[in-house]
Amino acid sequence: MTLPHPTADQISLPNVLAVLGDPTRLAIVRYLASKEGVPLNCSQFLDLGSKTNLSYHLAKLREAGVTRAEVVGTSRLITLRRDDLDRRFPGLLDSVIAAAVDDTALPVVGAHEIKIHA
């Protein structure tokens, strides 16, 4: 099974900004950035809500082109589409992540401190 993703050229700024305006989705992006390049299983985000709610947020991020979801067996591995986003909107993702790292109002994923790999 393959999930639909927009091509890099189909990623639009209004959609990306709208998706990142949600605290839960921004927390997901912040956590993905802290694990840069490592595909994460959906279950790693269960701190953020129910499976149904999480599925909704992950779908919105994928549909906007912010993340890529790869189906592996019964799991979905999520990665940040940094290269595509940086090519379309240079500096945007870095700015969003830098602001999100220190935002204590965002929900926290995992029990450890988040560190961004530059």
Side-chain angles (χ1 to χ4, degrees):
M1 177 174 152
T2 302
L3 298 172
H5 296 84
T7 65
D9 291 337
Q10 292 173 325
I11 299 172
S12 75
L13 185 59
N15 286 346
V16 170
L17 293 176
V19 162
L20 294 176
D22 179 87
T24 299
R25 293 191 285 264
L26 188 53
I28 292 169
V29 169
R30 176 179 68 180
Y31 191 69
L32 286 169
S34 77
K35 305 294 183 189
E36 196 72 49
V38 177
L40 298 177
N41 189 298
C42 303
S43 64
Q44 295 192 249
F45 302 104
L46 290 176
D47 293 347
L48 298 174
S50 69
K51 288 181 181 181
T52 302
N53 189 36
L54 182 58
S55 179
Y56 170 79
H57 288 299
L58 290 172
K60 289 295 182 186
L61 287 165
R62 178 181 48 78
E63 291 164 358
V66 175
T67 61
R68 179 165 304 283
E70 181 184 353
V71 178
V72 179
T74 59
S75 298
R76 291 184 183 193
L77 299 178
I78 312 299
T79 54
L80 201 54
R81 290 181 65 179
R82 179 178 284 282
D83 290 344
D84 290 338
L85 291 167
D86 286 346
R87 192 170 24 260
R88 290 282 291 149
F89 315 110
L92 175 67
L93 192 57
D94 288 335
S95 295
V96 167
I97 291 166
V101 167
D102 297 326
D103 191 342
T104 58
L106 291 178
V108 176
V109 179
H112 59 282
E113 183 177 332
I114 294 173
K115 295 184 181 176
I116 302 298
H117 301 287

